[in-house]
């Protein structure tokens, strides 16, 4: 049994993942660890990663960074969800709004009651039952986040007590470079040793673990545990240790992106936009000082030049730089912890930013490492458990992203078998197929283990992508039609009143 006390930590890379790792470790372990972070200004960082999901609030709060300081330092805005335009069919839109929808009754989720009401409605007025889009659109009347988002409003509301409903659930859009600077300052002030330079070689011990890394300008830095935050180059986990990468492009064929900032426009929308095009999709992320944009596409279905032109033609402000090209391979590192090296960030795998999950994966890997941090030597059990949890997490998020592509009814512009048809026809992972079949037949959604995405998230995307369940829960029949109507009317009323009293997103930020 290895008894080496883990004391000297070397983090390779100073992108968002490197500095998030450094900040959390120094905060939690304080002087127990000697932490060195190596980064290279000459190589730089990926420079994208501006949309997040709600758990980032917890990360900042553990660090003791207040929301106001964070918003000011990173030019951040609030994010209430992601609007998907043209994903099911051209001209349609829906939102994955964070938080709950409606109000559950006992063990029965709100959407069963809503489905029951829709069924009553279509029996009494068949003309209103035309088209899944009409039915699905109605669902978001019961989402406080959606209604606030579409009215460009924001206010942090915990609960609506009198209606026993939850309040607003938010995440952020922020400038990733400014966030890394904030965390760098935070970490250096607390004793992290920052080293600037390019690593040119990695030295291994006889047992195959990493002994040290050597920089171009001379120093050789040794450590007990190495954290590979070197981005897509995966300097340690792949280049030095040869850990393989599992490719998921057969499910998620997009492999390229261009990113470009543009001038801000009004109103300041509190949500991300993801607009599908014929070979992928385009993001729009509003910050205080600019809007982040990018196009994600499959190079088999769109040329680089076409992608660049499409991106520039669909900006809503003047571009502030030349579009920057980024290539990627969707997939995951087969072992994210191997020997004495843990890969965090882009070196550990990549899922396209459709649900803004990469920084969350960084956060959750750091927390996992913290929970499994070895006291008396690295044991195989630490490594196996870390890798098992990482695999489950990556696969669950992968399936949620595949869902958006697979459930589409889009027509190809020509007779070729385009990206959308390919995604519609492909075999999907078994767990995902099971989830879709279950929802279609029974309207039921179950979350497995610590699955990131909530029931409400799955329901919204499945409804938005055109599934109207064939049945709903029998307990809905215990409520009379009149009571059901009152219950739904009351929820809508509470939401509309709450939203009407909220300040605009722009005013709320200005007041900070
Ligand atoms: C197109 C695209 C859009 C994205 N959008 C989102 C989003 O909206 N939301 C989200 O959560 N995530 C998003 N991501 C992911 C997000 O950008 C990354 O997860 C995040 O930036 C972390 O990157 P990183 O720190 O792992 O790597 P990088 O930012 O690439 O950092 C790597 C670091 O390693 C250093 N380094 C590399 N090699 C060496 C060497 N030889 N010597 C010394 N130092 C070295 C570099 O200098 C740098 O400091 C997106 C990614 C892409 C590709």
């Amino acid at each position: 049994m290895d008894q080496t006390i883990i004391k000297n930590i070397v983090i390779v890379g100073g992108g968002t993942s490197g500095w998030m790792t450094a900040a959390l470790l120094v905060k939690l372990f304080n002087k127990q660890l000697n932490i060195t972070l190596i980064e290279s200004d000459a190589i730089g960082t990926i420079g994208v990663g501006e949309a997040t999901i709600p758990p980032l609030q917890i990360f900042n709060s553990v660090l003791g960074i207040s929301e106001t300081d964070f918003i000011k330092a990173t030019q951040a805005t609030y994010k209430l969800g992601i609007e998907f335009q043209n994903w099911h069919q051209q001209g349609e839109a829906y939102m994955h709004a964070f938080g709950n929808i409606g109000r559950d009754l006992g063990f029965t989720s709100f959407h069963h009651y809503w489905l029951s009401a829709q069924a009553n409605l279509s029996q009494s007025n068949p003309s209103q039952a035309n088209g899944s889009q009409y039915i699905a659109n109605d669902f978001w009347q019961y989402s406080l986040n959606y209604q606030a988002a579409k009215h460009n409003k924001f206010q942090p509301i915990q609960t609506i007590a009198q209606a026993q409903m939850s309040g607003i659930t938010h995440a952020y859009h922020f400038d990733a470079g400014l966030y890394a600077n904030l965390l760098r300052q935070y970490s250096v002030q607390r004793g992290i040793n920052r080293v600037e330079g390019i690593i040119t070689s990695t030295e291994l011990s006889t047992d195959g673990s990493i002994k040290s890394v050597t920089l171009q300008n001379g120093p050789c830095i040794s450590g007990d545990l190495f954290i590979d935050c070197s981005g897509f180059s995966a300097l340690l986990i792949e280049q030095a240790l040869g850990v393989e990468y599992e490719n998921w492009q057969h499910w998620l064929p997009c492999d390229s992106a261009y990113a470009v900032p543009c001038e801000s426009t009004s109103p300041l929308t509190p949500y991300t936009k993801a607009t599908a095009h014929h070979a992928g999709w385009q993001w729009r992320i509003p910050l205080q000082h600019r809007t982040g944009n990018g196009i994600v596409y499959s190079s088999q279905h769109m040329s680089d030049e076409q992608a660049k032109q499409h991106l520039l033609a669909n900006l809503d402000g003047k571009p502030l730089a030349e579009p920057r090209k980024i290539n990627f391979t969707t997939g995951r590192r087969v072992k994210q912890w191997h020997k004495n090296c843990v890969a965090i960030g882009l070196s550990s795998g990549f899922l396209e930013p459709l649900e803004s999950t990469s920084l969350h994966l960084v956060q959750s890997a750091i927390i996992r490492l913290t929970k499994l941090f070895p006291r008396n030597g690295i044991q195989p059990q630490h490594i196996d458990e870390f890798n098992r949890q990482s695999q489950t997490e990556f696969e669950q998020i992968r399936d949620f992203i595949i869902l958006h592509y697979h459930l589409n009814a889009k027509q190809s512009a020509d007779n070729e078998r385009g990206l959308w048809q390919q995604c519609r026809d492909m075999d999907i992972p078994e767990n995902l197929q099971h989830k879709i079949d279950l929802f279609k037949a029974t309207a039921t959604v179950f979350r497995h283990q610590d699955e990131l995405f909530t029931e409400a998230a799955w329901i919204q995307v499945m409804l938005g992508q055109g599934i109207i369940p064939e049945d709903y829960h029998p307990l809905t029949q215990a409520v009379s039609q009149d009571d059901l109507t009152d219950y739904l009317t009351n929820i809508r009323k509470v939401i509309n009143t709450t939203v009407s009293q909220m300040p605009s997103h722009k005013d709320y930020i200005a007041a900070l």
Side-chain angles (χ1 to χ4, degrees), residues 12-18 38-41 43-52 176 197-200 229-233 235 257 259 283 285 296 326-328 344-347 350 353 356-360 362:
V12 169
T16 319
S17 62
I38 306 163
E39 64 179 333
S40 159
D41 286 344
I43 295 176
T45 66
I46 189 120
V48 280
E50 303 186 319
T52 59
I198 297 179
I199 296 169
T200 46
C229 297
S230 65
F232 284 138
S233 66
L235 204 63
W283 78 76
I285 300 176
V296 172
I326 302 161
N327 298 322
F328 55 82
I344 296 183
L346 298 174
S347 62
F350 183 69
S356 320
T357 42
S358 289
L359 290 180
H360 176 78
V362 169

Side-chain angles (χ1 to χ4, degrees), residues 367-382:
I367 293 170
R368 185 172 303 128
L369 172 61
T370 304
K371 287 185 177 169
L372 287 165
F373 205 88
R375 194 179 70 84
N376 218 359
I378 298 171
Q379 309 309 333
Q381 291 80 2
H382 288 127

Side-chain angles (χ1 to χ4, degrees), residues 345-461:
L346 298 174
S347 62
S348 71
F350 183 69
L351 286 162
E352 61 184 78
L354 189 59
E355 285 282 350
S356 320
T357 42
S358 289
L359 290 180
H360 176 78
L361 283 165
V362 169
Q363 168 177 345
S364 116
I366 307 168
I367 293 170
R368 185 172 303 128
L369 172 61
T370 304
K371 287 185 177 169
L372 287 165
F373 205 88
R375 194 179 70 84
N376 218 359
I378 298 171
Q379 309 309 333
Q381 291 80 2
H382 288 127
I383 299 180
D384 291 348
E385 184 56 24
F386 185 95
N387 287 335
R388 192 189 64 75
Q389 290 184 19
S390 308
Q391 177 174 358
T392 305
E393 186 177 42
F394 256 81
E395 288 177 352
Q396 286 173 341
I397 297 176
R398 172 201 69 192
D399 287 359
F400 193 57
I401 296 175
I402 295 174
L403 177 74
H404 301 64
Y405 279 97
H406 180 59
L407 293 181
N408 80 82
K410 286 161 77 74
Q411 303 294 322
S412 295
D414 44 40
N415 290 331
E416 279 176 46
R417 191 166 167 272
L419 172 83
W420 297 101
Q421 191 180 340
Q422 180 185 324
C423 291
R424 200 160 52 231
D425 294 347
M426 70 189 173
D427 287 333
I428 56 173
E430 211 175 299
N431 282 341
L432 176 59
Q433 189 63 58
H434 169 74
K435 269 204 152 104
I436 295 174
D437 292 343
L438 186 67
F439 185 70
K440 222 183 237 173
T442 70
T444 314
V445 177
F446 283 106
R447 282 173 84 205
H448 290 281
Q449 296 163 345
D450 294 331
E451 193 177 329
L452 173 64
F453 291 105
T454 60
E455 232 185 271
W458 279 93
I459 293 165
Q460 290 176 79
V461 175

